Amino acid sequence: MRAVSSAMAADRFDTEVLQQHWIPLASSDADTAAVLRERLGVDFAAARNRVWETDNFLYLPVVANYKRGDTIERETIVFALGSEFLVTLQPAEHFVPFDKAIAKMRRNPALTGSAHGVMYALLWALNEASERVIYYASDALEAMTDDIEMATNGYDQRGREIGVADMRGTMSRMNAAEEIVSRTQETQLQLARAARHLMADIAVHSAALESLIAILIADIDGVKQHAGFEHDKVRYLQQSVMTWLDVKQNQIVKVFTIITAVFLPPTLIATFYGMNFTWMPELDWQHGFLATTLMTLVAAVIPLVYIKRKGWLR
């Protein structure tokens, strides 16, 4: 019975309390958009996903990143902040990050008393979603550490030499992690801009709300710094793998160069004796074949000894 009562209270909170100052607008709901444009003057088409200010509303777009299952989703949310209402242009389907904002407003009902308080809670939820995305990218990078360490050592767990093809999957995952972190950095810049505009747009002085927004701006900057750290980390790992690939390629070229240097003199001798001369005196020698064979071996050993003394075999 208590659980049913709590659920009913939550539904009443969502429908009655939140809608006093917050109007979520699905991006595919053209009819509601037309009504809001006529009654309130909200025109998202004129804003066109940019910071835009009219007499009644301030438009602030934020490209949000959030984790859904094992995938990272990316959606654009446009806030239309007015003196009485906050209208959010958001996906038609259920937008998961705003659930935490609603839960926060249930814990702190004072936030629902103004459009600015509601927008603070929504921005806070988007920042929390970005932080979870960064932790997801960090865990993905940690999972690749063993693969990168084996690559730098040159051998896998079975002692088999690692080739370039073996690192394609790791490189692909690192590139995906870098893209996630880079997008999160972009999101944090947009969140910080929206939070600063929110702070500046508070008409009636509210020390409590201003303090919360100031903390939010600091938290957004903290997540941005964390994203920067992870971005530097993934770039370092990428550079390490690329350096290993360059070394691997240089080793392959070195092997072929040594093989060419060793076999070039014997090949020259073999080419010489393959010519159709009318008279070759060594062919009449008793030990001509042995002498020619030894000369060929010496011609092969001389460059090999030279290369080894130079340390090019290491």
Side-chain angles (χ1 to χ4, degrees), residues 3-305:
V4 174
S5 301
S6 300
M8 294 177 60
D11 293 340
R12 192 181 308 113
F13 176 86
D14 296 345
T15 56
E16 297 179 4
V17 178
L18 288 179
Q19 291 183 3
Q20 293 177 2
H21 296 284
W22 180 27
I23 304 176
L25 173 63
S27 56
S28 60
D29 193 351
D31 295 336
T32 304
V35 173
L36 293 176
R37 184 167 55 251
E38 179 180 354
R39 295 185 179 180
L40 300 179
V42 180
D43 190 359
F44 288 102
R48 294 181 296 181
N49 289 342
R50 59 176 177 173
V51 177
W52 184 257
E53 188 171 5
T54 63
D55 294 338
N56 298 321
F57 287 93
L58 172 64
Y59 298 87
L60 297 167
V62 174
V63 180
N65 296 298
Y66 63 98
K67 185 174 180 291
R68 173 181 288 180
D70 293 331
T71 61
I72 302 299
E73 303 289 339
R74 184 174 173 87
E75 297 288 350
T76 299
I77 309 298
V78 183
F79 296 88
L81 178 63
S83 58
E84 293 294 330
F85 293 100
L86 171 67
V87 184
T88 55
L89 183 65
Q90 58 192 60
E93 59 182 7
H94 179 68
F95 190 60
V96 177
F98 282 171
D99 290 343
K100 292 184 70 66
I102 294 174
K104 185 176 183 65
M105 286 185 281
R106 287 198 191 104
R107 296 192 304 269
N108 188 0
L111 295 175
T112 62
S114 67
H116 296 79
V118 174
M119 183 170 177
Y120 157 78
L122 299 181
L123 292 178
W124 173 85
L126 294 181
N127 185 59
E128 291 291 311
S130 293
E131 187 174 20
R132 289 194 294 274
V133 169
I134 291 298
Y135 280 117
Y136 171 82
S138 178
D139 293 340
L141 291 176
E142 288 295 331
M144 286 182 266
T145 303
D146 294 338
D147 294 338
I148 297 172
E149 184 177 357
M150 284 191 301
T152 54
N153 291 332
Y155 298 92
D156 59 14
Q157 295 176 348
R158 295 175 296 177
R160 184 173 58 91
E161 187 173 359
I162 297 177
V164 176
D166 299 326
M167 295 302 297
R168 289 178 180 173
T170 302
M171 288 296 297
S172 177
R173 293 196 300 272
M174 277 196 294
N175 292 336
E178 183 188 15
E179 183 178 5
I180 291 172
V181 174
S182 298
R183 288 181 173 181
T184 304
Q185 287 180 306
E186 179 184 0
T187 295
Q188 295 311 108
L189 292 174
Q190 295 177 353
L191 283 174
R193 179 183 62 188
R196 289 193 298 268
H197 278 285
L198 176 62
M199 175 76 81
D201 195 70
I202 298 178
V204 179
H205 179 72
S206 174
L209 184 57
E210 289 179 359
S211 177
L212 290 176
I213 297 175
I215 295 174
L216 174 61
I217 293 175
D219 288 342
I220 291 173
D221 184 66
V223 175
K224 179 177 176 293
Q225 291 181 8
H226 188 187
F229 170 77
E230 294 298 333
H231 187 264
D232 293 340
K233 180 179 179 180
V234 68
R235 292 304 298 269
Y236 169 76
L237 293 176
Q238 286 176 326
Q239 187 63 37
S240 298
V241 174
M242 291 303 298
T243 301
W244 173 82
L245 292 177
D246 291 340
V247 171
K248 186 73 173 178
Q249 186 175 10
N250 291 337
Q251 288 177 340
I252 294 173
V253 173
K254 183 177 70 174
V255 169
F256 280 103
T257 302
I258 293 173
I259 292 174
T260 302
V262 169
F263 283 95
L264 183 59
T267 303
L268 181 61
I269 296 174
T271 303
F272 176 77
Y273 280 100
M275 297 179 182
N276 295 321
F277 290 113
T278 58
W279 182 66
M280 300 182 72
E282 56 270 24
L283 297 179
D284 296 331
W285 295 352
Q286 181 178 1
H287 302 290
F289 175 77
L290 180 59
T292 303
T293 303
L294 291 176
M295 182 175 61
T296 303
L297 291 176
V298 171
V301 170
I302 289 175
L304 183 61
V305 172

